[in-house]
């Protein structure tokens, strides 16, 4: 029988642990104006960056659900 | 574990040899684009994002991936994909921090950045770490190549009555010879273009094996039904087994490995430096991480997954005690016919060659810029402002390529004891990445980080890491998240966390106490007791040597507590010594070199104010101006308006045929406009460098 340790804990650890580094990165590029929201192509990249995080999270969540229930 | 031999047929060997020769010729063709070392190492900084992205695929997934992920896929299932799906966390800092910094600071190697940002000694330390990192990577590449080809080989050859046994190291030496020839003459342009073909072939080969495997076991439903639930999960168990677990992979791969790959891997950085501009580099990075890596996870792990399904369906077909590192080749042989199997193995072997070539090319770039050049300056054979004549520089580049290839083969001996390539690679990442990772991160993102911080991180950090290696049970176990202790290869993954903690702690403490260290240094200067520094240096060097000996020879002469106190004291002395001796201008040396001054970096790069107005691309015919050979191009006023360009702005001019990916292109500067709409005036230098074709339309865009 698979436990929480095998199924959802690695997922939570990855996205909380990795999320801390990710949010810190987003904060820093905004704070330093390396990503300048006044520029059109930078606004595009901002959306891509946030999309990327949830994109991988959704893929992993889907795969866990598929493994457990399909 | 059983070592297989003689897999494949004669036809497979013919296909393999033809493929390799074709790749060699293809790569050699692009040698004509190597006009100078800039072309040899950076491909002239002109390529489109898709070419760079494909090249990264060939480099990224070929190095060790087919062998190691098929092995892990066979042993543990879909969780072999973990390493390919955890790279996004550092992408913001890469795209908007490190990438623009390295492009706009016009550095030619990562160590060069450290001299500009910190000091020549910092460059020296980082050069050593970078070369170790790249040579180690080359070693892993060669080891993989040998393991991939080994099952195809007979147990021995008989030549002139002599029986020659085929050994792993013998195979590695042979492949190193071919790789050395390819990279020595081809250079970066050759690598990028052969990567385009090889990346495509790799994807085809990997997907072919995966889908043939699914068909072999009776379709997707049957495949899914055959695998146990634990095999379908995308993550390994949280903290067990010792050889493959999620928490270990998080610290070793998602953190240390991702940063190592994106920020420190000079081979990859050179790919991004070959992109025509920063924006194009960002596109390549995003496309690679978002799309190519998930596809690559299937491509490299798929053979292991279907091998497992086949072994459950019919255990006689795939031996249960098979060497995991042979799984890919074995399953490919079962699923494909004669000739096709040869193609699959050739695609992988050639791509492995490409990865190794990239890394050797990168190590060579570092050698030319960070070892050869400083030595010539030191010997007064070259002035700091001078450049080595191109012919001589190319010779140095090629000779160093040969030497570094040889060193890569010797590095294989360090990894050959690990049961799988995956573990060998994990050990390598966990050990070498943390000090460099902290150095790059704090250097680029923390403007208060000083040379003393960096030097203490590297020297003190390595000393503490050595203690962690010698006393893993005492030092790593408390932070190992419950992962089991393996006495032969203790905490292969979790050592990355320990190493990161000690390096970050030293970096932060040294930077926070910089004022106090400076005061202490000033006191030593004021009291004219400068001689006190000599015993301090001697003591520090002695402690470092003791730590190395204790770790390498596994000495039990000193207790952990004693060694820890000595090492912490020595780390403090390193901070004091570097504060005392290293000259550092905290205002000037951060300008344009940290994320806090990216705009300044752009201005320094351009040499004047940046024009950020959005403009259009224009298509033009070209006309050669023979009166002068200045680095300026002239457009009509109307075209300049369309591009929102002004005189003095930077322009990128390329052949309009998109499929060339920027191969025929140049960077230049806008000159005074003329009145001939749809025409650009270029000079001889642009024609020579861009290799533009008579009658072919060019596309122009303003860069900044």
């Amino acid at each position: 029988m698979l436990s929480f340790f095998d199924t959802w804990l690695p997922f939570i650890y990855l996205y909380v642990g990795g999320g801390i580094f990710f949010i810190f990165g987003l904060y820093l590029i905004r704070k330093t104006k390396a990503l300048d929201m006044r520029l059109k192509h930078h606004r595009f990249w901002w959306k891509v960056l946030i999309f990327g995080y949830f994109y991988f999270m959704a893929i992993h969540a889907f795969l866990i659900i598929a493994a457990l229930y399909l | 574990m059983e070592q297989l031999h003689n897999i494949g047929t004669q036809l497979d060997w013919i296909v393999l040899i033809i493929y390799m020769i074709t790749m060699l010729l293809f790569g050699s063709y692009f040698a004509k684009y190597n006009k100078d070392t800039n072309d040899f190492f950076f491909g002239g900084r002109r390529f489109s994002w898709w070419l760079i992205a494909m090249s990264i695929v060939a480099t990224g997934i070929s190095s060790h991936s087919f062998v190691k992920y098929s092995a892990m896929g066979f042993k543990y299932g879909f969780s072999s994909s973990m390493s390919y799906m955890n790279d996004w966390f550092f992408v913001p800092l890469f795209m908007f921090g490190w990438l623009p910094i390295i492009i706009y600071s016009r550095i030619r190697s990562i160590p060069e950045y450290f001299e500009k940002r910190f000091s020549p000694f910092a460059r020296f330390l980082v050069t050593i770490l970078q070369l170790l990192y790249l040579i180690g990577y080359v070693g892993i590449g060669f080891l993989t190549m040998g393991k991939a080809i080994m099952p195809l080989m007979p147990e021995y050859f008989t030549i002139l009555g002599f029986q020659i046994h085929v050994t792993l190291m013998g195979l590695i030496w042979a492949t190193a010879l071919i790789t050395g020839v390819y990279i020595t003459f081809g250079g970066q342009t050759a690598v990028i273009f052969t990567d385009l073909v090889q990346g495509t072939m790799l994807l085809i080969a990997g997907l072919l094996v995966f889908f043939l495997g699914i068909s072999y076991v009776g379709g997707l439903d049957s495949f899914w039904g055959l695998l146990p639930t634990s095999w379908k999960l995308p993550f390994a168990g949280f903290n067990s087994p010792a050889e493959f677990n999620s928490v270990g992979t998080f610290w070793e791969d998602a953190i240390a490995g991702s940063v190592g790959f994106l920020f420190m891997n000079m081979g990859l950085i050179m790919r991004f430096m070959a992109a025509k501009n920063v924006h194009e580099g960002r596109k390549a990075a995003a496309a690679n991480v978002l799309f190519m890596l998930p596809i690559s996870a299937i491509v490299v792990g798929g053979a292991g997954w279907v091998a497992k399904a086949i072994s459950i369906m019919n255990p006689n077909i795939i031996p249960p005690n098979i060497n995991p590192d042979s799984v890919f080749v074995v399953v490919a042989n079962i699923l494909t016919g004669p000739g096709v199997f040869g193609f699959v193995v050739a695609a992988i072997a050639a791509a492995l060659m490409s990865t190794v070539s990239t890394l050797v090319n990168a190590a060579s770039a570092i050698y030319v810029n960070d070892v050869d050049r400083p030595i010539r300056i030191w010997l007064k054979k070259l002035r700091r402002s001078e450049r080595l004549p191109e012919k001589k520089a190319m010779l140095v580049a090629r000779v160093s390529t040969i030497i570094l290839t040889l060193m890569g083969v010797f590095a294989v001996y360090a990894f050959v004891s690990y049961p799988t390539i995956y573990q060998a690679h994990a050990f390598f990442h966990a050990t070498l990445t943390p000090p460099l990772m902290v150095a790059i991160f704090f250097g680029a993102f923390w403007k208060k980080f000083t040379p003393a911080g960096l030097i203490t991180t590297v020297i003190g950090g390595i000393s503490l890491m050595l203690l962690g290696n010698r006393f893993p049970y005492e030092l790593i176990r408390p932070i190992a998240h419950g992962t089991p202790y393996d006495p032969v290869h203790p905490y292969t993954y979790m050592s990355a966390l320990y190493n990161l903690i000690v390096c970050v702690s030293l970096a932060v403490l040294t930077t926070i106490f910089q004022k106090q260290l400076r005061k202490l240094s000033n006191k030593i200067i004021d009291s004219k007791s400068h001689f006190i520094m000599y015993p301090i240096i001697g003591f520090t060097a002695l402690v470092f040597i003791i730590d190395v000996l204790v770790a390498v020879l596994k000495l039990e002469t000193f207790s952990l507590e004693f060694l820890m106190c000595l090492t912490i004291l020595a780390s403090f002395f390193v901070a004091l010594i570097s504060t005392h001796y290293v000259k550092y201008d905290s205002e000037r040396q951060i300008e344009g070199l940290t994320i806090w001054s990216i705009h300044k970096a752009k201005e320094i790069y351009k040499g004047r104010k940046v024009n950020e107005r959005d403009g259009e691309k224009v298509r033009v015919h070209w006309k050669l101006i023979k009166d002068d050979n200045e680095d300026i191009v002239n457009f009509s006023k109307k075209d300049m308006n369309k591009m929102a360009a002004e005189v003095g702005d930077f322009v990128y001019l390329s052949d309009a045929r998109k499929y060339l990916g920027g191969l025929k292109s140049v960077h230049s500067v806008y000159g005074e406009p003329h009145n001939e709409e749809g025409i650009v005036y270029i000079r001889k230098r642009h024609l020579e460098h861009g290799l533009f074709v008579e009658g072919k339309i060019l596309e122009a865009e303003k860069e900044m």
Side-chain angles (χ1 to χ4, degrees), chain A residues 3 11 13 19-21 33 37 43-44 49 57:
Chain A
S3 70
F11 174 84
Y13 195 90
I20 292 168
F21 289 99
K33 301 256 168 52
M37 293 297 268
R43 287 198 293 275
F44 164 77
L49 289 171
M57 194 188 250

Side-chain angles (χ1 to χ4, degrees), chain B residues 46 73 75-76 184 318 401 408 440 466 482 488 501 674:
Chain B
R46 56 184 158 195
K75 288 176 90 176
Y76 297 104
T184 305
I318 294 183
T401 300
I440 290 177
L466 287 167
V488 184
I501 289 173
H674 54 69

Side-chain angles (χ1 to χ4, degrees), chain A residues 55-56 59-60, chain B residues 53-65 69 78 80-89 91 203 207 253-254 257-258 261-262 268 272 284-302 305:
Chain A
Y55 164 79
F56 282 111
I59 292 176
H60 274 136
Chain B
M54 208 60 195
S55 179
I56 293 168
V57 169
T59 303
I61 72 172
S62 65
S63 55
H64 34 74
S65 314
Y69 292 106
F78 295 167
S80 68
S81 65
M82 279 194 300
S83 303
Y84 278 79
M85 309 272 281
N86 61 12
D87 292 288
W88 194 251
F89 305 123
V91 168
L203 293 178
L207 291 174
D253 192 274
S258 298
F261 194 63
L262 269 176
L268 193 85
F272 286 109
N288 186 56
V289 181
L290 284 177
F291 305 113
M292 302 314 283
L293 285 186
I295 294 171
S296 303
I298 300 170
V299 167
V300 298
W305 306 339

Side-chain angles (χ1 to χ4, degrees), chain A residues 8-47:
Chain A
W8 289 103
L9 184 59
F11 174 84
I12 294 166
Y13 195 90
L14 178 68
Y15 286 99
V16 173
I20 292 168
F21 289 99
F22 180 71
I23 290 169
F24 172 73
L26 288 184
Y27 167 77
L28 200 62
I29 60 174
R30 285 288 295 269
K31 167 101 180 155
T32 57
K33 301 256 168 52
L35 185 136
D36 187 346
M37 293 297 268
R38 287 170 302 176
L39 299 172
K40 194 177 159 192
H41 60 284
H42 279 203
R43 287 198 293 275
F44 164 77
W45 281 119
W46 177 251
K47 287 175 197 159

Side-chain angles (χ1 to χ4, degrees), chain A residues 21, chain B residues 90 98 113-114 117-118 126 129 255-256 259-260 263-264 432-446 449-450 453-458 461-462 465 496-511:
Chain A
F21 289 99
Chain B
F90 291 100
W98 191 229
Y113 168 80
F114 281 89
R117 170 75 175 83
F118 297 108
V126 173
L129 285 178
I255 304 302
V259 173
F263 289 72
M264 287 168 40
L432 262 175
T433 311
L436 256 181
M437 173 184 169
V438 172
I440 290 177
F441 253 67
F442 284 17
F445 304 130
W446 193 14
F449 194 50
T450 59
L454 181 128
I455 294 165
T456 312
T457 302
V458 175
I462 289 175
M465 282 162 54
L497 177 58
Y498 166 81
N499 294 345
L500 273 173
I501 289 173
V502 295
C503 290
V504 168
S505 306
L506 288 180
V508 171
L509 285 172
T510 311
T511 309

Side-chain angles (χ1 to χ4, degrees), chain A residues 2 5-6 9-10 13-14 17-18 21-22 32-35 45 48-49 52-53 55-56 59-60 64 66-67 70, chain B residues 85 88-90 92-93 96 224 229 232-235 237-238 246 250-251 255 279 282 289-290 481 595-596 599:
Chain A
L2 292 166
F5 265 63
D6 301 304
L9 184 59
Y13 195 90
L14 178 68
F21 289 99
F22 180 71
T32 57
K33 301 256 168 52
L35 185 136
W45 281 119
V48 171
L49 289 171
Y53 180 82
Y55 164 79
F56 282 111
I59 292 176
H60 274 136
I64 294 174
L70 291 183
Chain B
M85 309 272 281
W88 194 251
F89 305 123
F90 291 100
L93 286 175
F96 287 89
W224 190 256
T229 307
K232 297 180 205 162
L233 286 167
F235 295 105
F238 181 68
S246 290
F250 174 78
W251 287 107
I255 304 302
H279 189 58
R282 284 177 186 139
V289 181
L290 284 177
H481 290 58
I595 195 171
W596 299 87
H599 289 282

